[in-house]
Amino acid sequence: MRILYLDCFSGISGDMTVAALVDAGADKLYIEEELGRIKLEPYSLEWKRVMKRGISSQKFDVLLDPNHPPKHHRHYSDIVKIIRGAGFNDRVTALSLAIFEKIGMAEAKIHGITMEKVHFHEVGAIDSIVDIVGAALAIDSLQVEKIYSSPVPLGSGTIHIDHGIYPVPAPATLEMMRGVPIASTNYALEMTTPTGAGIISGIVDEFSKSFPPMIVDAIGYGAGTRDLPNQPNVLRVVIGKIDPFIGKWQVTHEHLAGEHHHQEEQHHHKEHQHNSADEDTFESEHKLDSDDHHSHEHTHSHHHGHEHKH
């Protein structure tokens, strides 16, 4: 089975996800060609290598045409129609809609409205649609069958959005984190965006603090926009496969406990053997002492007899 692990030590966003997956080997040409199916305002894609605190990373940006500004407000139903009408394969369509559904449900819950009435502000912008569909296309390109993720740091502080100044994580982001393990962070900034939260809550199958048992095939680094003071602002993705024999290579806690128990048993057995040997030695020495004593007595009697002869 081919698997993907999202190592979100610096958070996650849509553009970081696409960039990291392409860096790990997703077909960039396939992604670009398929994205051309989306009927939206004109845009272009920019790919470049950047350094993030010593790590060479892929950077992905959606460049908008200033002469054709995007519609910042789109209904959830509009986005569903755009994706369904694009003619993607079933996997790409399902992944894309799963991500948008999570975002739509969170927005509806926060604003107290139905899904149909949800207006996508930042997420409805063209770059967010491209990020989400691009991530789905990249996963499809890599033929990933199961997706894992690390716990996700959300950030802290405040952020300016259409509704005003909001706490970080944004309410919709936090809503999507229900049931998802989150990690603490000291950074007063947004480390996980609503799009990133949609990816995590919408398509991740399992969460793991450490890497799942796997044979690593490819690794990719997707750069974020900011530079963090003490760590690289990148999303690391690891592509690999689960090997049917990998269980035989693993050293599990149960195995270690069993081995320790076995060693203790061996130690007790050796101690028992040693004690038995000591007892045998004591008995032998005691017997030897007795024999020596009898022999000494016999010799002593013999001397007496000899003296008697004199």
Side-chain angles (χ1 to χ4, degrees):
M1 180 190 290
R2 197 160 166 81
I3 64 172
L4 161 65
Y5 182 68
L6 301 171
D7 190 6
C8 310
F9 64 92
S10 288
I12 182 172
S13 65
D15 57 316
M16 291 169 78
T17 304
V18 176
L21 292 171
V22 167
D23 196 42
D27 190 337
K28 185 164 66 175
L29 184 61
Y30 166 70
I31 294 169
E32 290 178 338
E33 287 179 348
E34 288 294 301
L35 283 173
R37 295 172 178 269
I38 302 176
K39 305 302 180 187
L40 293 171
E41 299 83 358
Y43 67 89
S44 60
L45 305 179
E46 182 180 72
W47 308 88
K48 60 183 177 182
R49 302 300 301 181
V50 297
M51 292 295 291
K52 289 292 181 180
R53 296 197 71 82
I55 294 182
S56 175
S57 314
Q58 181 74 58
K59 185 76 173 72
F60 172 68
D61 287 298
V62 180
L63 305 178
L64 307 178
D65 186 342
N67 298 319
H68 298 85
K71 294 178 182 177
H72 284 282
H73 300 278
R74 281 189 167 90
H75 285 93
Y76 172 73
S77 57
D78 295 332
I79 294 172
V80 171
K81 286 176 185 175
I82 289 169
I83 293 171
R84 289 196 185 281
F88 299 125
N89 68 38
D90 291 345
R91 181 95 197 280
V92 172
T93 300
L95 289 170
S96 301
L97 292 178
I99 296 167
F100 269 112
E101 184 180 28
K102 284 291 185 180
I103 298 170
M105 288 171 65
E107 292 284 355
K109 174 76 182 297
I110 295 301
H111 298 302
I113 56 177
T114 61
M115 287 273 286
E116 290 72 26
K117 292 182 179 179
V118 168
H119 279 278
F120 285 86
H121 303 291
E122 292 80 8
V123 176
I126 186 171
D127 57 333
S128 297
I129 296 172
V130 171
D131 285 347
I132 288 171
V133 177
L137 288 164
I139 290 167
D140 181 57
S141 165
L142 290 164
Q143 298 181 319
V144 168
E145 297 171 72
K146 188 172 183 179
I147 303 173
Y148 294 81
S149 174
S150 67
V152 185
L154 304 181
S156 62
T158 57
I159 187 173
H160 291 261
I161 59 176
D162 283 4
H163 295 290
I165 300 173
Y166 269 50
V168 173
T173 299
L174 188 58
E175 184 65 32
M176 283 183 272
M177 290 294 107
R178 288 178 182 268
V180 173
I182 61 175
S184 63
T185 176
N186 296 322
Y187 293 113
L189 48 84
E190 183 181 56
M191 299 186 75
T192 295
T193 65
T195 303
I199 291 169
I200 291 294
S201 61
I203 63 175
V204 169
D205 299 298
E206 195 172 322
F207 294 90
S208 174
K209 286 184 178 179
S210 59
F211 286 84
M214 66 191 294
I215 298 172
V216 176
D217 287 338
I219 304 160
Y221 295 91
T225 303
R226 290 190 181 93
D227 287 318
L228 300 178
N230 298 313
Q231 67 190 64
N233 185 22
V234 298
L235 170 67
R236 179 166 64 175
V237 301
V238 183
I239 312 293
K241 58 180 178 289
I242 295 177
D243 189 285
F245 298 106
I246 203 164
K248 295 182 180 179
W249 305 342
Q250 272 190 288
V251 181
T252 62
H253 290 295
E254 291 79 7
H255 174 73
L256 288 172
E259 193 173 88
H260 179 66
H261 180 68
H262 179 64
Q263 286 175 347
E264 279 190 336
E265 282 186 338
Q266 284 187 324
H267 179 68
H268 289 317
H269 181 64
K270 283 181 180 177
E271 275 192 342
H272 178 70
Q273 285 182 324
H274 182 67
N275 291 338
S276 298
D278 285 347
E279 287 174 7
D280 291 344
T281 304
F282 175 75
E283 286 178 6
S284 298
E285 286 176 349
H286 180 69
K287 187 178 180 183
L288 185 63
D289 287 345
S290 300
D291 290 344
D292 286 347
H293 180 66
H294 287 303
S295 175
H296 178 69
E297 282 183 343
H298 177 72
T299 306
H300 185 67
S301 301
H302 178 73
H303 282 307
H304 276 295
H306 181 71
E307 286 176 357
H308 181 69
K309 278 185 180 179
H310 274 290

